[in-house]
Amino acid sequence: MTRENLEGTPRLIRALRGETVGPPPVWLMRQAGRYLPEYREVRRRVGGFVELCLTPELAAEVTIQPLRRYPLDAAILFSDILIVPYGLGQKLEFREGEGPVLERVASRADLARLDLGGLVERVAPVFETVRRVRAALPAGAALIGFAGSPWTVASYMVEGGGSRDFAVAKRFAYGDEAGFAALIERLVEATVAYLSRQVEAGAQALQLFDSWAGALAEPAFRRWVIAPTRTIVDRVRAAHPDIPIIGFPRGAGLMTETYAEETGVDAVALDTTIPLDAARALQRRRTVQGNLDPQLLVIGGEPLQRGAQAILEALARGPFVFNLGHGIVPETPPDHVGALVEQVRGWAG
Amino acid sequence: MTRENLEGTPRLIRALRGETVGPPPVWLMRQAGRYLPEYREVRRRVGGFVELCLTPELAAEVTIQPLRRYPLDAAILFSDILIVPYGLGQKLEFREGEGPVLERVASRADLARLDLGGLVERVAPVFETVRRVRAALPAGAALIGFAGSPWTVASYMVEGGGSRDFAVAKRFAYGDEAGFAALIERLVEATVAYLSRQVEAGAQALQLFDSWAGALAEPAFRRWVIAPTRTIVDRVRAAHPDIPIIGFPRGAGLMTETYAEETGVDAVALDTTIPLDAARALQRRRTVQGNLDPQLLVIGGEPLQRGAQAILEALARGPFVFNLGHGIVPETPPDHVGALVEQVRGWAG
């Protein structure tokens, strides 16, 4: 099957605007990455992960790689949510098997170090990557830009890396609310600038990743997830009213609907735990995206097919974008991805 | 304030049976543990964590320790959810800073190794601990026994320890459904026997910990969380109809209500992400327990007080047990626990 609308609006964009597109558009979080041998080959050519993100020729190449293999409806910019702290001047390193390590923002005093004015220049290669990808995009496919949401990015900045319990970030957030609010405010500014430049360089849709939204109780969720996301959505939309925005509040559970309503995102991306009945209820008001368990993509065969089929049956008759509930894991056999994309593209309702 | 009902039914049990008890009963998950210097002193006296769990004199001592400091409404048996796999003959070790390490149950062939017949004898010291604690319990306090739920325990058994993505457990569960069902079935049998013996030794209420319930998409959640939990509840209740059962499906999010309805637990324990409005809705049908962020107990002061107050205002006018949304962390200052328990016990509505 070839891509539809060779000349017109990409299928992904139509779905994000609320249209029911049949079969539904499909892309997969972390579709460019370690599970692909051609990615690993490029990765070997550069010293560090940050270097790969900031080398437009290579970042564009890995962004496009999955679209050469599979008839996907979108490319998503190859980058990392921590490129924003890097752009603000924080030291950032990805250590093998350990994840990201950042210079810590330990308290309000450290905020002065964050260089908002230098951001756009420091991350300029990302916008060049966007331009290159957009120019190289297969007909009918759309290019998604992205950023992390302020709470998730702040948690890495304050913890100095990943965390299991967010103890340090919460101590900052609860112990010095005004100081933490100042950090979040800076991240809102940075994120608006970063996303707007991505759009100006050619991104046709945007996704906000709030991977650790599920770490917060309701009052903190409202303050550090919903409110800053809403500001980002409002400001990016004011500048670029035609660019749909997807919000991904991972782990939001019972707060998912409130998130969708109050942030004003065009589409809400659902993690694997969201039951399909609840997804269908959300779909009455906006496009939903999701939410296959990425482990099914490792397992393949009948369990993968059944899992995908259940999602299609539940959601593909409304505004919907097929995706996973979390990113592709490195152990995924590329053939399973091919089988899944074929199944979704072949869905006849 | 002294404990009420010196002669009668403990406040905790009344609340779990659906009574509104004012002020609400309070206990805290992992209230016996590393944050207490007197616990660390006992811990130093034994070689391993498993040894501590299986030495009745010491396990009873650490179970009672928090009740000497704070006017808590319950003691919870000091043990670990992995004592059941240990009782089935799996090698189990807790390594410093690394968590539990188990001999893996890699496939259906390994099920034959699990020795259901030897369980009760192997874990007999736990029942002796229960007897000792019950005899030493302060007036008015109740003793809670517990076990892990089959899915969570199975995930440790199959992974050989903790996991971030449950890749190995899911591969087993999806790749050999009948084999995984046989493992879950064995764990149901083991858990029913284990909990029944705890009740016979003196436990007055039970809690089922399903710490990793949130790892599963709906169909798997129904099959591996709800169905076996319901069987355990039915069978334990048939033998011990007066013993209330609390279910704690951590991370269940939008599946929490379905879990509460379909498992038939007397009370549902809520993690920190459950908004208080949703908790209040659940409370119309049964007792709820929870759900303060344990990090607030580390932070203390005003944020702790405000967090607890919001929960009390929302939930203490119905059937409710005050607790955390997850266990106490080792960094918690014991004074903060004292302040929290005092606040809950002093709540006047």
Side-chain angles (χ1 to χ4, degrees), chain A residues 75-110:
Chain A
I76 178 158
L77 168 67
F78 184 84
S79 184
D80 191 89
I81 63 168
L82 299 182
I83 288 297
V84 164
Y86 171 89
L88 293 170
Q90 257 192 311
K91 280 190 198 108
L92 169 65
E93 203 188 325
F94 286 81
R95 293 186 191 151
E96 194 63 36
E98 203 188 328
V101 181
L102 294 91
E103 188 184 10
R104 282 193 56 212
V105 175
S107 73
R108 196 194 296 218
D110 293 336

Side-chain angles (χ1 to χ4, degrees), chain A residues 281-311:
Chain A
L282 287 162
Q283 200 182 33
R284 278 186 222 120
R285 307 283 306 262
R286 67 188 51 68
T287 302
V288 295
Q289 174 177 288
N291 67 345
L292 188 78
D293 188 338
Q295 293 299 332
L296 285 176
L297 211 43
V298 180
I299 295 160
E302 180 68 22
L304 169 61
Q305 201 173 23
R306 261 189 292 132
Q309 186 64 20
I311 291 171

Side-chain angles (χ1 to χ4, degrees), chain B residues 312-323:
Chain B
L312 288 164
E313 289 298 332
L315 300 174
R317 289 179 188 89
F320 175 56
V321 176
F322 194 99
N323 208 317

Side-chain angles (χ1 to χ4, degrees), chain A residues 227-252:
Chain A
T229 302
R230 162 145 225 145
T231 307
I232 292 169
V233 169
D234 285 350
R235 290 180 52 191
V236 172
R237 190 173 283 151
H240 305 287
D242 292 337
I243 301 297
I245 303 173
I246 309 160
F248 179 36
R250 191 159 73 93

Side-chain angles (χ1 to χ4, degrees), chain B residues 7-81:
Chain B
E7 308 294 327
T9 307
R11 291 156 34 83
L12 175 81
I13 305 303
R14 287 165 47 208
L16 293 177
R17 286 189 187 143
E19 234 182 274
T20 298
V21 178
V26 52
W27 68 280
L28 303 169
M29 289 191 281
R30 235 182 280 153
Q31 63 190 21
R34 275 203 284 156
Y35 77 105
L36 288 177
E38 59 268 35
Y39 169 86
R40 296 195 297 270
E41 204 276 317
V42 172
R43 180 69 188 79
R44 272 192 293 272
R45 282 195 258 155
V46 290
F49 181 80
V50 177
E51 191 187 334
L52 174 54
C53 294
L54 296 175
T55 306
E57 187 198 338
L58 301 181
E61 164 62 18
V62 299
T63 301
I64 290 289
Q65 281 174 347
L67 285 90
R68 292 206 193 99
R69 279 189 181 250
Y70 318 114
L72 293 158
D73 287 286
I76 179 157
L77 169 66
F78 184 85
S79 184
D80 191 273
I81 62 169

Side-chain angles (χ1 to χ4, degrees), chain A residues 323-343:
Chain A
N323 207 317
L324 305 176
H326 194 14
I328 292 184
V329 300
E331 297 73 26
T332 304
D335 283 358
H336 295 179
V337 178
L340 172 67
V341 174
E342 199 180 325
Q343 182 181 351

